[in-house]
Amino acid sequence: MRNFIFLLVVSIVTADKSDVKFRIDCWPEPGPNKANCESRGCTNDHLSNNTGPPNTPSCFMPREQMGYSATRVRDGEWKLTKNKGLANPWGGGDLPSLKFSYNDVGDSVINVRIEDNLKRLETGDLLNLPRATQSTIERLIVDVRDTSDPFSFQVKREDGQSIFDTSPGGLIFSDKFIQLAVQLPSSRMFGWGENVHPHLKVSILFTWSLRTTEQRMVITVPAPGYVYRTIGGILDIYLFPGPSPAEVIQQYTAFVGRSFLPPYWALGFQLCRYGYKSLDDMKSRVDAVRGYKIPFDVAYSDIDYMDRSKDFTIGANWAGFGDYVKQLHDWGMHNILIFDPSIEVDYDTFQRAIDKNASFLEWERPDEVPHDIQDLYPLVKNTKILLSVVWPDKHVAFPDFLDPQKETSEWWTDEFRRFHDQIAFDGAWIDMNEPAAFGTNELNPFYFDNDNHPNLKPLSCPLTGPDSEWDAPPYKTQAVYNFGKGAYLAVKTVCMRAMCGRGSVRQYDVHSLYGWSESRVTADAMRAATGKRGVVISRSTFPSSGRFGGHWLGDNTATWDDLRSAVIGVMEFNLFGIPYVGSDVCGFNGNTTEQLCLRWHQLGAFHSFYRLAQLIINHNTDDGMDQDPAVWESVAVATRNANQFRYEYLPYLYSLHYRASLYGDTVIRPLFFDFGSDMKTLEIDEQFMWGPSILVTPVLKENASTMQGYIPQVPGVSFYSLYSPDASLSDFSYGKKVASGIANFPALTTYNEPTLVRSGSIIPRQASAVTTVAARKGNLNLLIVPGEDTDRSATGELYWDDGDSIVEDIHTSFTKTSFNFSMTSTASTLTMTVAPVEGVTNPSLEFFEIFSYPTAVDFKKFTMNGETLSIDSQAF
Ligand SMILES: *[C@@H]1O[C@H](CO)[C@@H](O)[C@H](O)[C@H]1NC(C)=O
Ligand SMILES: *[C@@H]1O[C@H](CO)[C@@H](O)[C@H](O)[C@H]1NC(C)=O
Ligand SMILES: *[C@@H]1O[C@H](CO)[C@@H](O)[C@H](O)[C@H]1NC(C)=O
Ligand SMILES: *[C@@H]1O[C@H](CO)[C@@H](O)[C@H](O)[C@H]1NC(C)=O
Ligand SMILES: *[C@@H]1O[C@H](CO)[C@@H](O)[C@H](O)[C@H]1NC(C)=O
C-alpha cells in the first residue's frame, strides 16, 4: 500500500518550551528492559528521576545517527542511501536505496514522496480523487538538507517558519515497516482520526492508532512532534498550507473531494434501536415519540428486521414492514435500514452473486481453502471465497467492493433494487464494514454457546510459516502490542493475506478502504434503487469517504465521557471532510439515565446526523428497558424543545451543508476556526460553532445547574443570546447582548443548549413542524443581528432546492439568496438577491426579526423596491 498522508497544516502555531527529549520508542512490545532494549541497539533509560512526562519511552532509538544520506539527482529529486546508523530493529531489511522527491500540486499543495523503485499499489489511485487545488496567498517551501547525515527535510512557510521538520532523524524504510519522525513547531496538533479522545488537541503523550477496527500507524512522542509508523507501502505526503484553518479544510476537500449533500429530511431527528422484537415493537416506539409531538423524521431498523441477520430479507415478526414504510412516507417520514457487508453463503442473494460472477474476498491459492468449512456450502465448495463468521447463522463472505469489474457493484445494486421493491427504504446504514468478523483465530469465540448464535468455526489466518507474511509482519503495529498477548492484525477482522480487487490487491494493503469502497458502491446502489438522493451512513471511513456518505461515531456507551467525546468527534469529522456526522444519542451500549439522555438530545439537536440509537436486548424477558425520549416526561419535553429549535434553523443548517459541498466549509467546528485571534479559543473543545453564526455551549456535566463557557473576545464581534425565552434568565434572555469572556450559562433542562448568535449575521429560519417535510412548506423568516461596524451591516444566505432529488451538478442545482442588511441614522436597508434555478422556488418571506434595533420604528416609511408599503403597526 502507498500510505497516503494528508497533513492539515493549521497556521496557528506557537513554539512550546518543551525540554523533554524527542524519544522514539524502540520497545513498544510489553516489558522493555535494559537487556532486550540493548539487544536492539537502542538506549535504555528508565527516567527513574521522574524527569519525563508519563508515557516517555524508556527504550529509545539512537535517532540522531539513523536514516539515509542524500545525493541530489535533479531539481526536486534525490537518491537516498541507507547510512550506518541503526537498522530496522524488527528486522526485515532496510531498503538500501530510495527516491525522495517533492512537487507542487497546483497552487496550494506540496507533495513529498519517499519511495523505493518497486511498482507498488497506490492507494491514491484507487481513491480516484479529484486532486483539485485552489489558490492561496500562502506558499510552502521544501528545504532539503542533503549535506547532513542523515539527510532531512523541512517544509516551511515563506516567512521561514518550519511546519514539518524531519531533522530528529530516525527514518526507517523496509518492505513492511516505515518510520518517519517529525518535529512540529507547536504541540497544537489536531485531527488524527478516527480515535475517541478526551480533547480536540491531540495529546502528544499518547499513542494513536489509525487503522480501521483496531490498529496501525501513529506514535506521538513527548515533544512537539510525532513518529509516523506504518507497515508497508511508500510515503506519499500532501501538505496544505492554509493559512487559515478553514482554508486548510477547503484545500484538503478540494483535493480529496467535497462532501455529498444530504437530503433535507436526513437533517431531521432519527430514532433507532437494536433490539426491537417485532414490527409492532418498532411501531409502538415510533408512536410514543410522535405522541409527544416531538419533531421526528426517520425511523430505523437495525438487524432485528432481517430474517436471522441475512441482508435483504425480512424476519417473521416483521410481516407488513413494507406497508409500514409506506405509512411512514404518508406521514412525511422516512426509513433507513441497516445493511451489513457480510453475506451468508447459502441463500438466494448469494446465489445471485455467484450467478452474476460478483467477486468476494478470497484466498490466494486453492490449497489455502479450509475444506472443513468450505465444503459445508455447495455454492462456495469449489471456490476460493474466504468464509468468516458474523451475525448470521451460517458462514459469510465479504463482497469485494474494490472489484475493478462491474459485476460486484451491479449485483449489490440489483439486491438494493429488489429489496427496495419490498420495502421502500430511503437510506442505508452500513455497519460492520472494517470489515468486522467474529472470533478470527480464536479457539473459544464470544459467540460459542450463545443461545442466539451457533458455534460456527471461525476464520483462521496463518500466523506462522511461509503464509504468515501478511498476518504476522515483523513489526506488528502499536495497537497489536497494546492489545496484549496473542494479538495479531486480523483480530476481529479478516486475514490480511486475503485477496480483493478481483485478486489484484491484498487486504493488507487496502484494509482501511473496505468501508470507503462499500460507501461508494452503496451510494450508487441507493440512488439506482430509490431514484432519489438518499443517504448512506458508514461506520468505517477513509479520506474522501465524505463524498459518498456520512458517519456516526461508532458504538458508544451511555456515559458522560462519551457525551463529551461526541462533541470532539463531530468537530474532527468536519475537519476530515465528512460533515454529516453525529453520535448515538443517549449512548448505544449500557443503560442510559434520564439526565444523560436529556443532555444528549440537547447536544445532538445541533449535530447534522441526529440519531437516538440504543442497544436494548433482553432475550429472556419482555421488560428490556425502553430508552427513547418518550420514556421520561422530562426527556420528551426537553427533546421536543431542542428539536423545535433545530427544525426552526434547518434552512440555515441545510445551507451550511450546501457550502460544505460547494466550498469545503465546515458545518460544526472549533471556536478557533472563527476566532483564532483570541488565543484562548485554541484550547476550547467543550463548545463549538454551528456554522459561522451560532456558538453552542453544551451541558456536558452531570447534575450541572450551570455550564461554564467562553465567549471569544474579538474586536468588532459581539454575541447575542438565542437562549432562552425564559425571561427569568435575565442574563441570557433571548436577544440580549452577552459580554465576552468566561460566562456561566444556566443549564436548563427544558430548552435547548446555551446558544448565542454572532453580530453581523442573517439567519434564514422556518417555523418548526413535526417533520422536515412539513417544516419546508412553511414561510421563511429572517433573524437579523446587526454588526458592530458603523453600517451595522449583516449578511447571510439561503441555499434551497427540493431537498430530495439526485444532485447532478452541485454547482447549478440550487436557488441562492443573499441577504444584506445595513443601517444609517435615517434608514435601514435589507437587500435580497436571488439567483434562481428553474423548478426551485424559495419559501415566501413572512417576517424578519432584528436584534438590538436602536430606535423606534416609523411604520409609515417602509418601502419595498422603492414603493411605499403600508404596514399594520398593530400586528408588527
Ligand atoms: C538521574 O539521577 C542520577 C543520580 O542523580 C543521575 O546520575 C542521572 O543522570 C539522572 N538521569 C536523568 C535522566 O536525569
Ligand atoms: C468471472 O470473471 C472472471 C474475471 O474476469 C473471469 O475470468 C471468469 O471467466 C468469469 N466467470 C464467468 C462465469 O463469467
Ligand atoms: C440495564 O437494565 C436492565 C433492566 O433493568 C438490566 O437487566 C441490565 O443488567 C442493565 N444493564 C447494565 C449494563 O447495567
Ligand atoms: C448527581 O446527583 C446524584 C443524585 O444526587 C448523585 O448520586 C451523583 O453522584 C451526582 N453526580 C455527580 C457527578 O455529582
Ligand atoms: C451589502 O451592503 C453593503 C452596504 O450597502 C455593501 O457595501 C456590500 O457590498 C453588500 N454586500 C453584499 C454581499 O451584497
Side-chain angles (χ1 to χ4, degrees), residues 537-833:
I537 303 111
S538 177
R539 190 165 82 181
S540 171
T541 61
F542 195 74
S544 82
S545 278
R547 281 191 284 173
F548 313 114
H551 177 64
W552 88 104
L553 297 170
D555 298 344
N556 60 7
T557 302
T559 65
W560 291 86
D561 280 349
D562 279 16
L563 175 70
R564 282 193 76 240
S565 65
V567 177
I568 291 160
V570 165
M571 288 194 274
E572 290 186 324
F573 269 84
N574 273 271
L575 308 188
F576 306 156
I578 308 177
Y580 187 64
V581 60
S583 64
D584 277 349
V585 168
C586 297
F588 181 74
N589 291 302
N591 290 330
T592 198
T593 63
E594 179 173 355
Q595 192 189 142
L596 177 63
C597 196
L598 188 153
R599 294 302 184 196
W600 216 316
H601 280 96
Q602 290 181 322
L603 170 67
F606 290 93
H607 290 162
S608 298
F609 177 67
Y610 175 26
R611 181 180 73 172
L612 169 69
Q614 293 166 322
L615 166 65
I616 305 165
I617 290 200
N618 191 337
H619 288 290
N620 302 320
T621 67
D622 281 331
D623 58 11
M625 196 181 150
D626 286 323
Q627 302 187 6
D628 53 58
V631 172
W632 294 287
E633 180 80 19
S634 70
V635 179
V637 171
T639 303
R640 185 169 60 220
N641 288 336
N643 289 15
Q644 282 171 349
F645 182 90
R646 175 192 182 88
Y647 277 50
E648 264 184 67
Y649 286 81
L650 284 176
Y652 172 69
L653 179 59
Y654 191 59
S655 298
L656 294 176
H657 271 280
Y658 241 115
R659 286 197 67 91
S661 299
L662 284 164
Y663 307 119
D665 288 359
T666 46
V667 174
I668 285 186
R669 56 213 185 203
L671 270 54
F672 71 74
F673 265 56
D674 295 277
F675 308 107
S677 64
D678 177 350
M679 298 293 278
K680 290 204 177 80
T681 63
L682 296 175
E683 304 291 331
I684 291 176
D685 53 20
E686 292 194 338
Q687 296 168 281
F688 56 86
M689 292 301 295
W690 203 36
S693 296
I694 293 180
L695 190 163
V696 182
T697 306
V699 179
L700 304 172
K701 296 196 170 71
E702 191 178 6
N703 302 340
S705 58
T706 59
M707 186 71 196
Q708 194 176 82
Y710 181 75
I711 304 174
Q713 290 176 297
V714 174
V717 176
S718 56
F719 288 88
Y720 293 82
S721 177
L722 279 184
Y723 164 83
S724 135
D726 181 348
S728 66
L729 299 165
S730 54
D731 287 350
F732 292 97
S733 52
Y734 186 80
K736 252 190 145 169
K737 191 167 179 170
V738 176
S740 58
I742 290 175
N744 283 300
F745 298 94
L748 299 184
T749 54
T750 50
Y751 195 55
N752 62 302
E753 303 279 31
T755 305
L756 307 178
V757 61
R758 167 196 187 149
S759 58
S761 305
I762 301 181
I763 300 185
R765 304 182 296 197
Q766 275 173 320
S768 170
V770 290
T771 63
T772 59
V773 170
R776 274 179 61 87
K777 293 179 182 145
N779 291 328
L780 199 67
N781 74 77
L782 298 179
L783 171 63
I784 300 173
V785 189
E788 301 295 318
D789 54 342
T790 47
D791 288 345
R792 313 273 346 247
S793 60
T795 56
E797 57 192 14
L798 171 69
Y799 290 86
W800 201 250
D801 62 7
D802 72 9
D804 205 13
S805 304
I806 294 172
V807 178
E808 302 293 352
D809 178 356
I810 187 75
H811 298 279
T812 57
S813 60
F814 55 87
T815 285
K816 182 180 174 187
T817 309
S818 306
F819 305 105
N820 196 355
F821 175 85
S822 61
M823 208 191 274
T824 65
S825 57
T826 53
S828 298
T829 309
L830 173 65
T831 310
M832 293 185 282
T833 313

Side-chain angles (χ1 to χ4, degrees), residues 356-369:
K356 287 195 162 75
N357 203 9
S359 178
F360 287 83
L361 264 52
E362 58 180 23
W363 298 100
E364 186 175 20
R365 302 183 313 267
D367 66 283
E368 295 178 78
V369 174

Side-chain angles (χ1 to χ4, degrees), residues 127-140:
L127 296 175
N128 191 21
L129 304 176
R131 294 176 184 260
T133 61
Q134 67 187 47
S135 341
T136 162
I137 53 162
E138 188 65 292
R139 284 278 166 284
L140 295 179

Side-chain angles (χ1 to χ4, degrees), residues 139-152:
R139 284 278 166 284
L140 295 179
I141 298 158
V142 183
D143 177 6
V144 181
R145 292 158 181 180
D146 55 6
T147 52
S148 58
D149 183 19
F151 109 102
S152 68

